[in-house]
Amino acid sequence: MKRRHLILLIIVVIAIVASGVVLSQNLSPYVTFSVAQEKSSSVQVHGVLVGDVQTLSEGQGIMFRLRDDDGTIASVAYQGLKPDTIDQSDGVVVIGKFDGDIFRADKIIVKCPSKYESQPGGDAS
């Protein structure tokens, strides 16, 4: 193997390893609220709405309660506009961290209900 090929191979391997490290640092799995309370960094929590979404006064954002996959319910505050489909969603993902007893979301991802699932007794074709 020529020296040039060896150097090129080493550069490619370093690039692949570096890409893997960066990718793994940016991917964060869903955690529960109990795990999120222990973390000081931003995390993702998946859950379903409990009750109504409240719009805060003077455009200060929204507040709602979310039940995570373990059944824990927490108050979530978000400084932004209310997502249009949040009330009809199958699930909500909030990205942020706890500030005292309130989960401060930096981002909200609304999981839309699937309108393509077959209805009971219906034809799926």
Side-chain angles (χ1 to χ4, degrees):
M1 184 180 261
K2 291 184 180 179
R3 184 178 174 140
R4 175 186 270 173
H5 291 152
L6 184 60
I7 291 173
L8 184 60
L9 179 64
I10 291 171
I11 290 172
V12 169
V13 169
I14 290 172
I16 291 171
V17 169
S19 298
V21 169
V22 169
L23 185 61
S24 69
Q25 289 175 346
N26 289 328
L27 291 177
S28 60
Y30 297 141
V31 299
T32 61
F33 282 125
S34 58
V35 172
Q37 285 179 321
E38 298 171 4
K39 302 274 187 180
S40 60
S41 61
S42 186
V43 295
Q44 295 186 78
V45 180
H46 175 266
V48 293
L49 284 178
V50 177
D52 295 327
V53 177
Q54 302 169 355
T55 302
L56 302 176
S57 63
E58 299 178 18
Q60 295 295 318
I62 59 173
M63 191 153 201
F64 54 92
R65 293 169 43 91
L66 193 71
R67 180 177 33 250
D68 69 12
D69 294 335
D70 278 353
T72 304
I73 298 173
S75 294
V76 177
Y78 174 67
Q79 291 188 346
L81 298 175
K82 177 182 173 184
D84 291 335
T85 58
I86 194 168
D87 295 318
Q88 298 88 25
S89 68
D90 281 346
V92 177
V93 176
V94 290
I95 303 169
K97 58 185 172 180
F98 270 98
D99 179 16
D101 291 338
I102 297 177
F103 188 88
R104 302 276 178 194
D106 299 319
K107 188 173 187 180
I108 297 176
I109 302 170
V110 177
K111 303 282 186 169
C112 296
S114 177
K115 58 184 174 184
Y116 300 107
E117 292 179 7
S118 64
Q119 299 297 319
D123 186 11
S125 56

